[in-house]
Amino acid sequence: MEEQWITSVGIDLGTSTTKFIVSRLRLARMSSHFSLPRYQIVERELIYASAIYSTPLKTGDEIDVDRVSRILSEEYKRAGLTLSEVKSGAVIITGETATKKNAQEIVHFLAERSGDFVVATAGADLEGVLAGKGSGAEARSRNIQGVIANIDVGGGTANTALFQRGKAIGTVTFHIGGRLVRLDQAGVIHYVAPAIQPWLRERGFRIVPGQQVSFSLLQEIARQLSRCMLSYLAGKEQGAAGLLLLGRPLAEVPAIDEVMISGGIGQLIGEPAPTNLDETATYGDFGPLLAHALAQESRHCPFRVVPAVQTVRATVIGAGMQSTEISGSTVHIDASLLPLRNVPVLKLEVGGRQLTAAAVKAEIGQMMELGRRLFDATVSPPFALAITGMGYCSYAELQLLADELAAQFAEAFPDSSIMAVICENDMAKALGQSLTIRCQHRPRVICIDQVRVEYGDYIDLGEPIAGTLIPVVIKTLAFHEAGVEGIQ
């Protein structure tokens, strides 16, 4: 196989809107014919984008599963796509929708009805990174010297991801979004999100459902919300912004050189600014006012605002086109065990020292004990063990690793029917075969290479492409420390 295209989907179920995209990913051989095959995704092509739907809710705190399912079914038909054609992608549940009482139920429901290999997940940190990939911020960060922040502002949250030299170095999320305040065109308030009530009180604003408000009051709220977030990102105001944070703050706010604004609010920035309540409440919320307040306040900040390549579809494009990489071709897999989803990662770092029997036994023993403490021993596999730091691996060293891994895994996880091993270098086929001989198919072994992961990541392994390659999604679910790498 010199070249192949695979189909990927992205589904974003957000606070305000639901979106669906289909893309094609081109795999090409990057190594010479005189070396081990190495394939990468070298081109991504968006081939279908759905209409933007209002996210269907049964009640204020429950997603309408049936209506979402119908939307998805209809969009697959419009795209001319069957489930069996889907080889990668992601279902992302985002913003305030992730807090609905049936959020976890629906995200797995959608994944099961989206294709053979679609990862299902939620979370503001991951959403922010995917939006930064889809908006073009990650790509732009490779071409500038400093840090670029993508602020993806939707209906319920502003998910901010910081990129430097093509890597995500941090995320922070604010309770700022267009549908946090909902009203009609007469200015009567219908909803104020509980998440922003502490900030409103601290700033001296009092708005409650049933109250009729003025255009100038809403304008001032939008202005101060925007100023508070941007001041935080500029490294200035930290106090009041804490009332708007979802999750932990950044450990340190780096100097930001450029900012992109994506999401539904990013799209509204390009529309005429509202001048009265009637124009403000066009969508039943104060989103248009928030968009233009954000644009105005950003002019007073030390960073440059640059246009996003994608705005309202940034997250779904990031999920469908940018979340997948490809394993090495010298892998040891049993296709009947795939796909595997949401497998936590433990790292075994063996580089920089001689691999003695005593050292390998001790290191693997520590990993197995940590795995028993952290993960469910009845799950198969309980975790994926990532072997990192090795350069050349001799036959003797490989057999030593296989001996200890097989023996200690069987002792620590006797009920597990699958052992998953991830190698950075081209050794998966040989190591997988050696483990299989020792394990005698209990547990069965999956061993892949040419994939780099970090401790704390989760990994998803898809069904084989062209016999040997498999699509891989690496998910880093939290970015609260500078220097942490993003989703691959």
Side-chain angles (χ1 to χ4, degrees):
M1 185 196 81
E2 292 304 307
E3 179 178 290
Q4 180 173 330
W5 289 86
I6 63 173
T7 301
S8 178
V9 303
I11 302 166
D12 178 12
L13 192 68
T15 304
S16 306
T17 58
T18 293
K19 299 164 284 286
F20 172 90
I21 64 115
V22 181
S23 58
R24 295 200 309 156
L25 312 179
R26 182 164 69 92
L27 313 183
R29 180 168 177 152
M30 305 303 291
S31 57
S32 73
H33 291 282
F34 302 101
S35 59
L36 290 171
R38 186 183 301 272
Y39 291 87
Q40 290 183 9
I41 296 171
V42 296
E43 185 177 349
R44 292 172 164 89
E45 180 182 81
L46 179 65
I47 60 174
Y48 178 78
S50 75
I52 298 173
Y53 296 90
S54 295
T55 297
L57 300 175
K58 276 187 176 179
T59 63
D61 64 351
E62 186 175 4
I63 305 162
D64 190 328
V65 179
D66 292 336
R67 286 177 61 197
V68 171
S69 180
R70 286 197 298 273
I71 289 171
L72 186 59
S73 177
E74 290 167 4
E75 287 301 333
Y76 266 88
K77 289 178 183 176
R78 290 191 182 101
L81 189 65
T82 63
L83 297 188
S84 61
E85 295 176 88
V86 177
K87 297 302 179 186
S88 74
V91 177
I92 308 293
I93 186 166
T94 59
E96 283 208 311
T97 308
T99 68
K100 304 303 182 187
K101 68 181 183 182
N102 62 340
Q104 289 302 314
E105 169 198 340
I106 195 167
V107 80
H108 293 294
F109 173 89
L110 288 175
E112 290 169 4
R113 287 156 180 80
S114 301
D116 292 333
F117 179 53
V118 177
V119 53
T121 192
D125 294 305
L126 179 58
E127 179 188 356
V129 173
L130 291 177
K133 287 173 177 280
S135 72
E138 181 204 44
R140 183 169 173 81
S141 74
R142 298 190 184 100
N143 301 318
I144 68 171
Q145 292 297 315
V147 175
I148 182 167
N150 187 75
I151 310 173
D152 190 75
V153 193
T157 54
N159 304 291
T160 304
L162 310 178
F163 295 91
Q164 187 173 33
R165 295 188 298 275
K167 297 291 185 182
I169 61 169
T171 63
V172 63
T173 299
F174 302 88
H175 287 293
I176 295 178
R179 293 190 66 79
L180 294 181
V181 177
R182 301 177 200 171
L183 70 158
D184 61 27
Q185 292 175 310
V188 177
I189 299 294
H190 292 281
Y191 172 81
V192 181
I196 64 166
Q197 294 284 14
W199 180 88
L200 289 170
R201 288 194 295 269
E202 191 272 342
R203 288 298 171 111
F205 297 115
R206 183 185 179 277
I207 56 171
V208 296
Q211 176 185 353
Q212 188 170 30
V213 297
S214 66
F215 176 75
S216 60
L217 175 62
L218 284 179
Q219 192 174 45
E220 185 61 23
I221 291 173
R223 184 181 297 121
Q224 290 200 33
L225 277 171
S226 300
R227 185 180 302 161
C228 197
M229 176 176 66
L230 293 170
S231 294
Y232 178 92
L233 294 175
K236 298 176 182 177
E237 181 179 355
Q238 305 293 310
L243 297 173
L244 294 171
L245 290 179
L246 172 60
R248 290 178 293 168
L250 286 165
E252 181 180 352
V253 182
I256 296 170
D257 297 271
E258 293 186 353
V259 163
M260 283 186 183
I261 302 172
S262 63
I265 297 301
Q267 185 178 46
L268 289 174
I269 286 175
E271 298 183 3
T275 58
N276 52 49
L277 286 171
D278 186 59
E279 293 172 357
T280 296
T282 299
Y283 304 104
D285 55 44
F286 84 140
L289 202 54
L290 178 63
H292 287 277
L294 187 56
Q296 288 176 348
E297 291 300 319
S298 66
R299 297 185 186 124
H300 308 297
C301 294
F303 35 70
R304 299 182 299 277
V305 178
V306 294
V309 177
Q310 292 285 343
T311 53
V312 69
R313 289 187 173 91
T315 302
V316 72
I317 287 174
M321 297 178 67
Q322 304 289 340
S323 61
T324 302
E325 64 179 65
I326 301 298
S327 76
S329 57
T330 56
V331 298
H332 180 85
I333 56 175
D334 182 340
S336 67
L337 303 178
L338 300 172
L340 293 175
R341 299 188 178 100
N342 292 325
V343 181
V345 171
L346 285 181
K347 284 183 70 173
L348 176 65
E349 298 189 39
V350 293
R353 60 184 183 279
Q354 186 177 3
L355 291 184
T356 65
V360 170
K361 183 175 183 177
E363 291 286 346
I364 292 177
Q366 289 177 10
M367 289 299 100
M368 294 301 166
E369 179 58 31
L370 180 61
R372 282 200 299 186
R373 292 201 311 268
L374 294 179
F375 309 121
D376 186 346
T378 65
V379 172
S380 297
F383 59 87
L385 184 65
I387 300 174
T388 67
M390 292 192 73
Y392 169 75
C393 181
S394 69
Y395 177 80
E397 289 173 332
L398 187 139
Q399 298 307 306
L400 180 58
L401 280 172
D403 286 340
E404 288 299 332
L405 280 173
Q408 295 201 41
F409 188 86
E411 181 180 352
F413 301 97
D415 297 324
S416 179
S417 60
I418 303 173
M419 180 196 302
V421 181
I422 306 164
C423 309
E424 279 184 341
N425 299 329
D426 298 308
M427 56 185 281
K429 192 175 188 68
L431 180 59
Q433 290 173 342
S434 298
L435 286 169
T436 296
I437 291 170
R438 288 158 175 78
C439 295
Q440 298 182 346
H441 301 287
R442 182 68 189 186
R444 288 188 285 177
V445 175
I446 292 177
C447 193
I448 67 170
D449 58 25
Q450 296 182 23
V451 173
R452 186 171 180 267
V453 292
E454 298 293 337
Y455 175 72
D457 287 350
Y458 285 72
I459 192 166
D460 298 291
L461 309 176
E463 295 182 343
I465 304 166
T468 57
L469 309 178
I470 63 172
V472 178
V473 172
I474 302 165
K475 297 175 293 181
T476 301
L477 300 182
F479 298 80
H480 295 299
E481 299 293 335
V484 178
E485 289 190 8
I487 185 169
Q488 300 297 310

